[in-house]
Amino acid sequence: QSVLTQPPSVSGAPGQRVTISCTGSSSNIGAGYDVHWYQQLPGTAPKLLIYGNSNRPSGVPDRFSGSKSGTSASLAITGLQAEDEADYYCQSYDSSLSALFGGGTKLTVL
Amino acid sequence: QVQLVQSGAEVKKPGASVKVSCKASGYTFTGYYMHWVRQAPGQGLEWMGWINPNSGGTNYAQKFQGWVTMTRDTSISTAYMELSRLRSDDTAVYYCARGVTRGYYLYWGQGTLVTVSS
């Protein structure tokens, strides 16, 4: 059971907007640690999607955005495309400098 | 360009040990911590720990303490992760990932599948 809680699955039709939540606690996200998001396609290594709560690495479309508030964070995907179908993970840290991953969310594009 | 190239797939028997390597190139190896993350089949990502290639200092997830050893050879820019006393539920893909101060992983190895089976 992951310390960071994500919904197991979300779905949306092409063109729609979906959000994925990541809920932590005062020991991790609430303590001020940044939240990062990854996209993982089947059989591949995770790809950094959002870093530092809301920043996109070069090459990531602006359809992807992140936010953080209190002990939670969210990833939003607008203009959903078939190629967005993947697993998404949030990641943060705790006070022992241990990295934490959410349990992952499977996005299905209907 | 930054590359992390891991060693090939391994098949081990229960109780054995496995050592996975991660060769870094395209940047100063001692300038960034190297983290290890594993993913069991159909499961999520699990952080195992990190090594500071400059000092050799390590920080292991509590679950893996006494069980995992992370080392490095700076002469060949390679980090290693050794897991002992393997069990069937250690079957997973093991990734190395370059860490940065803000805590995210932009660069990942391709993954190494370790299968534990009698």
Side-chain angles (χ1 to χ4, degrees):
Chain A
Q1 196 154 353
S2 302
V3 175
L4 303 181
T5 302
Q6 297 180 232
S9 63
V10 298
S11 62
Q16 284 190 331
R17 177 181 186 270
V18 296
T19 61
I20 299 172
S21 60
C22 175
T23 303
S25 69
S26 57
S27 301
N28 39 70
I29 297 175
Y33 293 99
D34 283 344
V35 178
H36 319 293
W37 291 89
Y38 301 87
Q39 177 192 62
Q40 187 178 34
L41 299 171
T44 68
K47 170 190 172 184
L48 181 67
L49 211 56
I50 297 288
Y51 69 93
N53 306 315
S54 59
N55 302 289
R56 283 186 310 277
S58 174
V60 173
D62 60 6
R63 301 187 296 105
F64 295 91
S65 63
S67 63
K68 173 189 163 184
S69 178
T71 58
S72 296
S74 288
L75 172 71
I77 310 172
T78 58
L80 207 55
Q81 299 180 4
E83 67 212 47
D84 299 332
E85 189 160 290
D87 294 326
Y88 293 83
Y89 294 91
C90 62
Q91 180 240 318
S92 187
Y93 271 80
D94 67 17
S95 56
S96 67
L97 298 183
S98 297
L100 306 170
F101 283 99
T105 298
K106 181 175 182 59
L107 169 62
T108 300
V109 180
L110 301 171
Chain B
Q1 74 282 22
V2 175
Q3 280 194 306
L4 301 176
V5 179
Q6 299 183 221
S7 48
E10 303 260 15
V11 179
K12 296 292 183 180
K13 293 194 180 303
S17 297
V18 68
K19 191 171 186 178
V20 179
S21 68
C22 172
K23 182 170 177 58
S25 62
Y27 72 98
T28 301
F29 177 64
T30 52
Y32 297 83
Y33 286 24
M34 192 68 77
H35 294 239
W36 290 88
V37 176
R38 77 176 185 178
Q39 185 172 36
Q43 302 300 308
L45 303 171
E46 182 176 30
W47 180 78
M48 300 179 69
W50 54 250
I51 181 168
N52 177 346
N54 189 41
S55 66
T58 55
N59 179 31
Y60 303 142
Q62 190 169 12
K63 170 179 178 176
F64 296 99
Q65 287 177 7
W67 183 28
V68 70
T69 304
M70 296 179 188
T71 57
R72 92 292 190 215
D73 184 338
T74 57
S75 68
I76 55 172
S77 300
T78 299
Y80 302 92
M81 185 284 301
E82 183 171 19
L83 198 59
S84 61
R85 305 190 303 277
L86 290 169
R87 309 184 321 182
S88 58
D89 59 3
D90 293 317
T91 293
V93 175
Y94 290 77
Y95 294 100
C96 59
R98 193 186 82 167
V100 295
T101 304
R102 290 191 69 179
Y104 57 85
Y105 310 117
L106 178 57
Y107 298 104
W108 294 71
Q110 82 276 21
T112 297
L113 175 62
V114 175
T115 303
V116 183
S117 174
S118 54

